[in-house]
């Protein structure tokens, strides 16, 4: 086995296949043991190469726990979460040896397309569980190295930072008089990242050759579509733990460019908004930033989705602003449409289920949505949403009753007088009209759904605001 002098940290052991075989066929168990033994003897105790830190037991244990917690589908190797632990117990020593000698080759990612809320599809690349584990381990080691140089105006996928902070910063900039926004949409950002430019940025802080080669291999790992594997020459696929960090590393150059010009801005991953005091200034900035991104980072601005506009005419991370001098945060119309679509989807097929079962399915969705939109300062839309959800639940009841006689009996059980109940049950109107009519509202008031355990979005938002 050959060794090459890499630096003062000792010998780096390397074994590269020269006969075209897969690396998994090159390192035998005996070789793995020999590599581990020789590497352990060669390294000085006072210094550790970065790849050593990546494969340390404590780091890998944390990475494993996070991968298992996130669950998710398996990759192209067909190994799913329940069987992953056993697979790892059998193969980890060999995988570790390959990582330490620069011989590990990632498997292709499985291409999945999911619909975007605003139309179109988002392409996800799902790595195998082994590759997700290694990427997570890399992320945990690399993140602190790069975090110290990230911008204060970058909020996405960073420890201690979140979308709420970005939204509040945007509100502050507009309140200060920056009433126009340069809203940048990077065209298919994750699919168009230039590998050479990204690797050059990573190499500014990372000197370990094996780590750099491994990241390059992850960037270039093939894509499996319909059983066929195709190459990838650009882009960093969404779906792996490493992609968010890589996006922040690349776009930090854009952050520094904006800071050097004295601009106030918010960036959450590839969502970028810059706040200026006039439309003319915004239009000049849009042109110069479009040119900068194309020439320096090889990224394209989507001209159709980008705009220079009044701040309240655009949305940011699901929120929008009012036009007042001191603007208020409100929920963007697109966000309301998305939750309505989610509720409709959850309620499909509810005719054969009890109302309580449907409510149990809805509640986690409504709580999560309310937790995200707890910053909203306008309550009317929340009241309307609560009323619309109850309307749909009443519609389920009306449909389940089917026959007019059954409807009349249930309305009387709910407290309506016999004459009104029968008149309402035989009115000949459709389910949606009846579920919004006065007889159903009187029989099944908000208090009824409260007793059933239905989450009120308005009340949940108020609770979150009270405890914040």
């Amino acid at each position: 086995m050959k060794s090459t002098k890499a630096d003062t940290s000792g010998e780096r052991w390397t074994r590269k296949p020269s006969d075209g075989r897969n690396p998994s066929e090159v390192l035998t168990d005996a070789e793995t043991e020999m590599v581990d033994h020789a590497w352990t003897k060669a390294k000085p105790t006072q210094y550790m190469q970065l790849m050593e830190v990546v494969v340390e037991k404590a780091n890998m244990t944390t990475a494993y726990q996070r991968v298992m917690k996130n669950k998710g589908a398996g990759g192209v190797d067909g190994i799913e979460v329940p069987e992953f632990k056993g697979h790892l117990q059998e193969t980890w020593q060999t995988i570790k040896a390959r990582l330490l000698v620069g011989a590990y080759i990632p498997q292709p990612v499985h291409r999945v397309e999911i619909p975007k809320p605003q139309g179109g599809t988002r392409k996800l690349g799902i790595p195998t569980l082994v590759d997700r584990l290694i990427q997570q381990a890399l992320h945990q080691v690399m993140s602190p190295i790069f975090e110290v140089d990230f911008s204060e105006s970058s909020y996405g996928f960073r420890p201690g930072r979140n979308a709420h902070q970005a939204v509040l910063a945007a509100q502050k900039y507009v309140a200060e008089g920056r009433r126009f926004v340069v809203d940048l949409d990077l065209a298919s950002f994750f699919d168009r990242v230039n590998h050479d430019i990204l690797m050059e940025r990573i190499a500014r802080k990372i000197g370990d050759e094996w780590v750099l080669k491994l990241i390059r291999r992850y960037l270039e790992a093939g894509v499996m579509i319909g059983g066929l594997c195709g190459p990838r020459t650009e882009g960093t696929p969404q779906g792996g733990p490493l992609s968010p960090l890589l996006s922040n590393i690349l776009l930090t150059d854009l952050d520094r460019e904006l800071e050097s010009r004295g601009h106030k801005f918010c960036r959450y991953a590839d969502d970028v908004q810059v706040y200026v005091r006039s439309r003319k200034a915004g239009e000049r900035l849009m042109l110069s930033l479009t040119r900068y991104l194309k020439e320096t980072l090889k990224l394209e601005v989507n001209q159709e989705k980008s705009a220079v506009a009044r701040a309240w005419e655009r949305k940011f991370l699901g929120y929008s602003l009012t036009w007042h001098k001191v603007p208020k945060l409100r929920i963007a119309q697109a966000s309301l449409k998305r939750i309505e679509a989610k509720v409709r989807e959850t309620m499909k097929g509810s005719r054969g289920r009890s109302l309580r079962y449907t409510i149990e399915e809805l509640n986690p969705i409504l709580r999560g949505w309310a937790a995200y939109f707890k910053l909203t300062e306008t309550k009317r839309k929340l009241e309307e949403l609560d009323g619309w959800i109850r309307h749909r639940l009443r519609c389920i009841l009306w449909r389940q009753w089917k026959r007019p006689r059954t409807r009349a009996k249930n309305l009387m059980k709910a407290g309506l007088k016999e004459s009104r109940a029968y008149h309402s049950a035989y009115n000949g109107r459709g389910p949606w009209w009846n579920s919004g009519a006065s007889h159903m509202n009187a029989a099944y008031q908000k208090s009824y759904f409260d007793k059933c355990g239905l989450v009120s979005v308005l009340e949940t938002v108020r609770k979150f605001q009270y405890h914040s």
Side-chain angles (χ1 to χ4, degrees):
M1 185 167 290
K2 296 179 181 179
S3 64
T4 57
K5 288 282 185 180
D7 51 36
T8 58
S9 64
E11 293 182 330
R12 278 183 178 161
W13 293 83
T14 181
R15 175 65 182 263
K16 298 181 180 179
S18 59
D19 55 2
R21 290 180 293 162
N22 188 292
S24 63
E25 300 170 339
V26 175
L27 254 67
T28 65
D29 289 340
E31 287 176 317
T32 298
E33 186 175 350
M34 186 184 351
V35 167
D36 279 341
H37 175 70
W39 167 77
T40 302
K41 287 185 66 177
K43 70 169 187 176
T45 56
Q46 71 273 18
Y47 183 85
M48 297 182 75
Q49 285 289 337
L50 197 61
M51 186 60 83
E52 299 177 44
V53 182
V54 171
V55 299
E56 271 189 315
K57 184 177 180 179
N59 188 53
M60 295 306 305
T61 299
T62 302
Y64 173 80
Q65 290 169 347
R66 289 181 179 172
V67 169
M68 296 300 283
K69 182 180 179 181
N70 292 336
K71 299 181 181 179
V76 297
D77 60 357
I79 296 171
E80 302 290 343
V81 169
E83 56 197 303
F84 182 48
K85 183 176 181 180
H87 172 75
L88 208 57
Q89 287 172 337
E90 294 177 3
T91 60
W92 172 244
Q93 289 305 317
T94 303
I95 294 169
K96 178 181 175 182
R98 294 192 194 117
L99 289 168
L100 289 170
V101 300
Y104 180 79
I105 306 296
Q107 296 195 60
V109 298
H110 175 55
R111 168 64 55 83
V112 176
E113 295 189 8
I114 61 172
K116 288 183 178 180
Q118 61 271 34
T121 59
R122 176 177 286 111
K123 297 176 181 178
L124 297 183
I126 308 301
T128 64
L129 285 165
V130 169
D131 284 322
R132 293 216 288 273
L133 174 70
I134 297 169
Q135 285 193 35
Q136 180 62 43
L138 279 168
H139 184 285
Q140 290 165 186
V141 171
M142 291 173 59
S143 180
I145 295 173
F146 287 93
E147 179 65 29
V148 293
D149 289 331
F150 286 161
S151 170
E152 287 295 312
S153 297
S154 166
Y155 296 91
F157 307 108
R158 296 179 58 191
R161 289 175 168 264
N162 55 51
H164 287 164
Q165 293 169 335
V167 169
L168 289 170
Q171 181 186 31
K172 173 174 172 284
Y173 295 145
V174 176
E176 289 172 348
R178 298 173 178 85
R179 311 282 279 179
F180 289 86
V181 60
V182 180
D183 192 352
L184 287 171
D185 183 277
L186 302 180
S188 303
F189 170 73
F190 284 94
D191 295 327
R192 296 190 178 182
V193 169
N194 182 286
H195 291 174
D196 292 335
I197 292 175
L198 174 57
M199 290 306 303
E200 191 274 329
R201 269 65 178 171
I202 296 171
R204 292 173 183 174
K205 304 280 286 185
I206 301 292
D208 190 314
E209 179 186 359
W210 295 153
V211 170
L212 293 174
K213 284 186 175 181
L214 181 59
I215 295 170
R216 169 75 77 163
R217 285 170 181 166
Y218 274 121
L219 292 173
E220 296 176 351
V223 179
M224 189 75 74
I225 307 174
L228 299 176
C229 184
R232 186 171 66 239
T233 57
E234 64 178 4
T236 170
Q238 291 175 272
L242 203 53
S243 290
L245 175 62
L246 298 182
S247 70
N248 276 333
I249 291 172
L250 181 64
L251 290 176
T252 292
D253 276 23
L254 172 61
D255 298 341
R256 295 308 178 205
E257 177 68 16
L258 288 167
E259 288 171 347
S260 69
R261 300 184 190 187
H263 288 298
K264 300 296 183 182
F265 67 98
C266 295
R267 182 175 68 78
Y268 192 95
D270 59 328
D271 288 334
V272 187
Q273 289 199 342
V274 190
Y275 303 90
V276 295
R277 297 183 183 276
S278 71
R279 186 179 296 275
K280 190 172 182 179
E283 290 170 349
R284 285 198 305 268
L285 182 59
M286 176 68 81
L287 287 173
S288 65
L289 286 180
T290 300
R291 184 169 56 250
Y292 169 83
L293 287 164
K294 186 173 183 178
E295 293 176 357
T296 306
L297 299 180
K298 308 300 181 188
L299 295 172
E300 296 287 338
V301 172
N302 187 329
Q303 298 295 338
E304 292 183 0
K305 294 183 178 180
S306 300
V308 177
R310 294 280 188 179
W312 48 89
E313 295 173 348
R314 306 296 288 182
K315 62 183 177 66
F316 183 51
L317 301 177
Y319 283 87
S320 61
L321 293 166
T322 65
W323 53 267
H324 300 90
K325 185 174 182 180
V326 180
K328 293 182 178 181
L329 286 170
R330 61 185 177 184
I331 302 166
Q333 191 61 35
S335 302
L336 290 166
K337 288 181 178 179
R338 281 199 291 273
I339 187 61
E340 288 174 0
K342 183 69 173 176
V343 168
R344 285 193 191 95
E345 183 66 27
T346 305
M347 287 187 180
K348 275 184 181 179
S350 294
R351 284 197 204 182
R353 301 182 307 202
S354 71
L355 193 68
R356 290 185 183 274
Y357 183 87
T358 301
I359 289 172
E360 285 175 2
E361 277 197 302
L362 275 177
N363 281 345
I365 297 169
L366 299 178
R367 283 195 194 95
W369 192 86
Y372 182 77
F373 287 103
K374 67 180 181 180
L375 298 182
T376 184
E377 297 171 276
T378 57
K379 303 298 188 291
R380 185 169 61 86
K381 292 295 183 181
L382 299 178
E383 292 173 344
E384 292 175 359
L385 178 60
D386 276 336
W388 178 82
I389 291 170
R390 291 193 295 270
H391 189 162
R392 292 196 67 86
L393 291 171
R394 292 187 190 104
C395 190
I396 291 172
L397 287 175
W398 191 266
R399 288 179 184 277
Q400 286 177 344
W401 295 337
K402 295 183 180 178
R403 294 180 178 85
R405 185 174 179 83
T406 306
R407 290 167 179 166
K409 286 183 177 180
N410 282 313
L411 288 172
M412 285 189 288
K413 284 180 183 178
L416 264 62
K417 291 182 179 180
E418 182 177 356
S419 59
R420 186 182 183 190
Y422 272 91
H423 177 76
S424 301
Y426 284 89
N427 63 25
R429 300 273 192 166
W432 184 249
W433 186 91
N434 274 287
S435 57
S438 61
H439 52 270
M440 281 295 281
N441 277 277
Y444 295 92
Q445 299 177 15
K446 180 181 179 298
S447 58
Y448 171 81
F449 294 104
D450 290 341
K451 289 177 183 176
C452 291
L454 177 66
V455 165
S456 163
V457 175
L458 175 61
E459 291 172 5
T460 306
V461 166
R462 283 175 172 166
K463 286 178 184 177
F464 280 125
Q465 291 175 341
Y466 177 78
H467 291 294
S468 292

